[in-house]
Amino acid sequence: MAHTFGVDLRGIIDLLSHHLYSSPRVYARELLQNAVDAITARRALQPGAPGEVVIEPIDSGQGGTLRISDTGIGLTEREVHDLLSTLGRTSKRDELGFARQGFLGQFGVGLLSAFLVAERIRLVSRSAKGGPAVRWTADAAGNYEVEVDDTARAEIGTTIELVPNRDSEHWLEHDVVKALVTEYGELLPVKVSVGGEVLTAERLPWLDEPLEYGAKVLGLRPFDAIPVEVPTVGLTGVAYVLPGGVHPGARQSHRVYLKRMLVGDAIEGLLPEWAYFVRCVVDSSSLRPTASREALYQDETLLAVREELGRQVRDWLVRLDATDPDRTSALLDAHHLGIKSLARVDDDMLRLVERWLPFETTDGGQSLRQFKRKHGSIAYVPDVDEFRQLAPVAHAQGMGLLNAGYAYDVEIMDRLVALDGPTAARRVAPTEVLAALGDPEPELERALRDRLALAKEVLERHDCEAVPRDFDPASLPALLVTNVEGERRRDVEQVGEQADPLWAELLGSLVSEQSDAAQRLVLNVRNPLVRRLAGLNDSALVELTVESLYVHALLQARRPMRPKDTAALNRSFLELLDRAVGGQS
């Protein structure tokens, strides 16, 4: 035996209020959508038909009902039963001419949203197709009545009256209704009035004064306004470039209208992630909203729109670079991360970054093009702390180094190599800087090596070997350089101590047994302290001095300190202090 599903209207209303719609405030949008759709349907039948929506809110504190009237196509008695009193009958809506195509929404579920704020809905409608006026009354319990009343309404169109729920009267009062209608419907192509005041604009406001409108919507004056258009989905609008102060991880919040009805002012997914510094205000005739009509449906159409809008923003950046270098420089200062992100995959943006974006170098802030012009190739270090340690030494030796330790820098270097060849950019290892340093005088070198032999135990404790070199600046006593192969061996040993024998043996086979120490302490023989070290005869003082130099170089390198490094810092400081105090007594 076949059965028919029953529908609990209270359950449906609870579903709408707690899971589909974000707030009862959407009732105003749904009623506006139904009214505008009705006017659209009538104009398809009668092109010269009037288009007007009149809303009469509740007077504050006076009670009563809210009334919304439209000059739309109206409903016949059959349509009232099929559209207003049946859920999920999409095929029937298509037959009657109320399919979603060409309309903002659909009758039925949209009208049910009124139950979020109303305990009873009364509707009176006269159809443009002929026939008598029809009265429909429904309550939140799921009961409804339909009757023919030819005296109820003389003009073609529909009037809806909402009797508010207890504690929901404020949603139907004048100030709240005016604010909601202005927010959702101020751009609708029909005349909408609340309490006798017309709230709709004749033209899209961003067409005449885009920057002023952007300042109003964003709360700050934008850097620029880019007209955008995607004809395939009937999209027009403006992409506003923010003046600064936006984090790359910030949510993109765009203001989107669908057939001039607001979908939302925090819509995501309209632009690529790299365009985090751009906010859009657009109107479209074809983008699909979600069931709640508070977001956009993530489909192939939206993906294509995102790609096209991203292309238009990128083209604007290229034009700006060609026509206004000063503004380009200001934009890069404010939004360099987003533009660097785009430069990883876009050649035009890469050339823009190459010309205008300043990088930290041993010669100060310079663009990549300036650096290449002076040094022929971009020698870069991929770590900020490593660069800052090596920079003064490299600069003193006449070497040009670039700091590529920030977001996307290394990827940009790789992109330059892919486009311009292997000589365009290369990664510099610390050992390369070490190889450029001079050797000390033989006698001084022998004396230092003799003293370093006394501190062998201290150096081994830190998996470090010391080498004397002659370099500027003389104010720098020591430089700590990482040996990649040695550091890999140290890591393997640390893991192997906690692993099972088979795994430890496998790890050990991955590194050379001849690996040097993980770190090299490069002592600068031009520094007075290091030169005095060569003349010390007290082995304890030699050990203390070498360990102090190691800790100082470690701090200069800004590397994470291990427990034994922290212990060495405390020990060397206290022992030096003790010797200083003892020497003065």
Side-chain angles (χ1 to χ4, degrees):
M1 179 178 177
H3 298 275
T4 302
F5 281 104
V7 176
D8 180 357
L9 185 59
R10 286 193 182 276
I12 293 295
I13 294 170
D14 181 71
L15 178 67
L16 295 178
S17 61
H18 291 98
H19 301 285
L20 185 61
Y21 296 126
S22 61
S23 165
R25 68 203 312 269
V26 298
Y27 87 91
R29 183 196 63 202
E30 298 295 331
L31 293 180
L32 278 174
Q33 286 186 169
N34 284 350
V36 174
D37 281 349
I39 292 171
T40 302
R42 183 178 179 186
R43 284 178 169 173
L45 190 67
Q46 303 171 352
E52 184 174 3
V53 181
V54 177
I55 303 175
E56 302 169 55
I58 294 175
D59 290 333
S60 180
Q62 302 299 312
T65 60
L66 176 142
R67 291 164 58 90
I68 175 169
S69 303
D70 65 68
T71 59
I73 194 169
L75 299 170
T76 64
E77 182 180 4
R78 176 191 169 208
E79 290 168 351
V80 165
H81 282 286
D82 286 326
L83 296 176
L84 302 186
S85 307
T86 307
L87 296 177
R89 294 288 296 277
T90 303
S91 61
K92 180 60 66 176
R93 301 180 202 284
D94 294 349
E95 293 172 18
L96 297 175
F98 291 102
R100 184 176 296 276
Q101 183 63 35
F103 296 88
L104 290 170
Q106 289 176 276
F107 288 92
V109 174
L111 184 59
L112 284 179
S113 67
F115 282 120
L116 299 176
V117 296
E119 66 178 19
R120 182 177 295 273
I121 302 174
R122 294 193 284 263
L123 176 145
V124 177
S125 187
R126 182 180 290 274
S127 176
K129 301 174 185 178
V134 181
R135 185 187 300 275
W136 176 84
T137 305
D139 60 36
N143 306 305
Y144 74 94
E145 296 178 356
V146 179
E147 59 180 324
V148 174
D149 185 354
D150 205 32
T151 64
R153 182 182 175 102
E155 304 85 6
I156 294 173
T158 301
T159 297
I160 297 173
E161 188 174 320
L162 305 184
V163 179
N165 289 323
R166 182 185 304 174
D167 300 328
S168 294
E169 292 88 349
H170 65 285
W171 288 110
L172 309 183
E173 292 178 354
H174 179 275
D175 290 347
V176 174
V177 172
K178 178 182 175 182
L180 293 176
V181 171
T182 300
E183 178 183 357
Y184 287 116
E186 66 176 343
L187 304 186
L188 288 172
V190 300
K191 180 181 177 182
V192 180
S193 60
V194 174
E197 180 183 358
V198 178
L199 300 181
T200 44
E202 295 183 2
R203 280 173 56 84
L204 295 173
W206 57 78
L207 295 178
D208 298 321
E209 297 180 334
L211 287 174
E212 285 69 18
Y213 180 75
K216 175 184 174 183
V217 171
L218 301 174
L220 48 83
R221 188 171 181 83
F223 180 88
D224 208 345
I226 311 168
V228 292
E229 184 176 8
V230 186
T232 54
V233 293
L235 183 146
T236 61
V238 183
Y240 289 107
V241 181
L242 302 180
V246 185
H247 190 275
R251 268 181 38 184
Q252 294 186 23
S253 300
H254 307 289
R255 191 174 184 88
V256 177
Y257 292 84
L258 181 60
K259 298 183 179 72
R260 300 182 65 160
M261 173 72 78
L262 180 70
V263 176
D265 57 7
I267 303 300
E268 299 182 15
L270 200 61
L271 285 178
E273 290 185 3
W274 61 260
Y276 69 92
F277 54 91
V278 179
R279 298 290 181 268
C280 289
V281 180
V282 299
D283 177 55
S284 172
S285 60
S286 300
L287 288 176
R288 290 177 58 195
T290 58
S292 66
R293 278 166 263 175
E294 297 178 321
L296 294 177
Y297 192 76
Q298 299 288 328
D299 57 7
E300 292 183 358
T301 301
L302 182 59
L303 185 64
V305 168
R306 183 184 309 150
E307 183 176 342
E308 173 59 21
L309 292 180
R311 184 192 65 79
Q312 294 183 27
V313 173
R314 186 208 64 185
D315 289 348
W316 169 83
L317 285 168
V318 174
R319 290 194 303 272
L320 185 71
D321 177 36
T323 59
D324 198 336
D326 291 339
R327 279 173 61 78
T328 302
S329 179
L331 179 72
L332 284 168
D333 286 343
H335 301 298
H336 61 281
L337 276 181
I339 295 173
K340 283 165 66 175
S341 174
L342 180 56
R344 299 175 301 162
V345 295
D346 187 277
D347 294 348
D348 290 330
M349 289 299 100
L350 179 66
R351 298 310 180 192
L352 185 147
V353 166
E354 187 181 19
R355 283 193 298 274
W356 296 111
L357 189 65
F359 283 77
E360 185 179 3
T361 77
T362 49
D363 300 318
Q366 288 188 347
S367 69
L368 296 177
R369 180 163 293 184
Q370 289 174 312
F371 189 85
K372 287 171 68 176
R373 189 180 298 124
K374 180 176 181 179
H375 297 283
S377 178
I378 300 174
Y380 67 89
V381 177
D383 181 85
V384 175
D385 291 337
E386 193 171 85
F387 170 82
R388 289 175 178 168
Q389 184 192 18
L390 296 177
V393 178
H395 180 69
Q397 317 314 311
M399 294 178 61
L401 282 186
L402 181 141
N403 183 3
Y406 296 106
Y408 311 125
D409 286 352
V410 171
E411 293 163 276
I412 287 175
M413 301 302 151
D414 292 341
R415 185 72 178 167
L416 282 173
V417 169
L419 290 179
D420 300 336
T423 60
R426 63 184 181 85
R427 178 172 178 169
V428 174
T431 51
E432 184 175 340
V433 178
L434 179 61
L437 303 182
D439 292 325
E441 299 172 0
E443 185 177 346
L444 179 59
E445 183 177 7
R446 281 195 300 272
L448 271 175
R449 290 193 182 278
D450 289 343
R451 301 305 179 273
L452 292 175
L454 299 176
K456 180 180 179 181
E457 184 178 341
V458 170
L459 292 172
E460 288 179 347
R461 187 187 307 153
H462 297 288
D463 197 8
C464 179
E465 63 178 2
V467 292
R469 288 291 185 271
D470 188 324
F471 60 91
D472 284 322
S475 59
L476 182 67
L479 188 69
L480 192 63
V481 177
T482 300
N483 176 19
V484 176
E485 184 64 28
E487 194 163 70
R488 184 183 296 116
R489 175 188 53 76
R490 185 181 66 181
D491 293 340
V492 167
E493 290 175 352
Q494 290 177 349
V495 173
E497 291 174 359
Q498 303 174 3
D500 61 77
L502 179 61
W503 179 240
E505 182 180 353
L506 177 61
L507 289 173
S509 67
L510 298 178
V511 297
S512 169
E513 294 183 359
Q514 303 301 318
S515 298
D516 296 328
Q519 304 174 99
R520 286 182 180 175
L521 183 65
V522 185
L523 299 176
N524 185 4
V525 298
R526 295 194 182 187
N527 183 268
L529 176 61
V530 175
R531 296 183 75 90
R532 286 198 294 271
L533 172 64
L536 291 179
N537 294 315
D538 184 340
S539 60
L541 185 56
V542 168
E543 290 185 358
L544 178 59
T545 303
V546 169
E547 188 164 43
S548 299
L549 286 171
Y550 167 79
V551 173
H552 178 267
L554 181 67
L555 293 174
Q556 285 287 104
R558 302 186 184 185
R559 295 185 192 172
M561 296 189 69
R562 298 165 294 177
K564 62 181 179 181
D565 296 328
T566 304
L569 173 64
N570 294 331
R571 180 172 57 252
S572 60
F573 173 77
L574 290 176
E575 288 189 20
L576 285 172
L577 184 63
D578 182 63
R579 281 178 173 266
V581 172
Q584 291 176 354
S585 58

